[in-house]
Amino acid sequence: MQNSPEKPKPRLGCAGIIRQGEGILMGIRNKPENRGLWVLPGGGIRFCESFEQTLRREIEAEAGIQITPGAFFRVYELINPPNEHRVIIYLHGTHLSGTSQASTDLSEVRYLLPIEIKALGEQKQISPFVEQVLRDAGILADDISAKDPHKATV
């Protein structure tokens, strides 16, 4: 019997919408797939590790802070053939302690206000996928009145 190469499997990860006041924790990705773009921190789930444990570990490793994981937000599937297939579980969370600092995965990390995130999005400096997650979470709102004055609500 001939051994066939093992087919790639989807990567399972957990990321956080971490708040401190009005700010959302974001970092500039320092690894392939979105290198140089602002993203929400997170990473791979280890065997027998809960979503909350993963989020705590990844946020501490990537941003140098401790957090309190909160409610489950949503699951997203990202498929970009032939090399990228990820399933990402997003949780809400809040800053508990520590001062954010860059890591090997994120070249810069800090809390951004929604208006700053919107400006970075307009400059194409945020991963489009992450921008959609932030829209779905209600952090970035589509400005309907700016796009079409006939659709403005009173």
Side-chain angles (χ1 to χ4, degrees), residues 78-94:
L78 184 59
I79 302 174
N80 290 313
N83 298 320
E84 184 179 31
H85 185 181
R86 293 186 284 154
V87 177
I88 306 164
I89 294 95
Y90 281 88
L91 302 178
H92 291 282
T94 55

Side-chain angles (χ1 to χ4, degrees), residues 47-61:
F47 186 72
C48 290
E49 185 176 57
S50 72
F51 302 148
E52 293 84 359
Q53 289 169 327
T54 298
L55 193 59
R56 278 190 201 100
R57 175 180 52 77
E58 286 291 336
I59 298 297
E60 186 165 9

Side-chain angles (χ1 to χ4, degrees), residues 28 30 58 60-64 101-109:
I28 298 176
N30 205 25
E58 286 291 336
E60 186 165 9
E62 292 186 353
Q101 56 190 356
S103 66
T104 55
D105 288 358
L106 301 174
S107 61
E108 183 178 341
V109 62

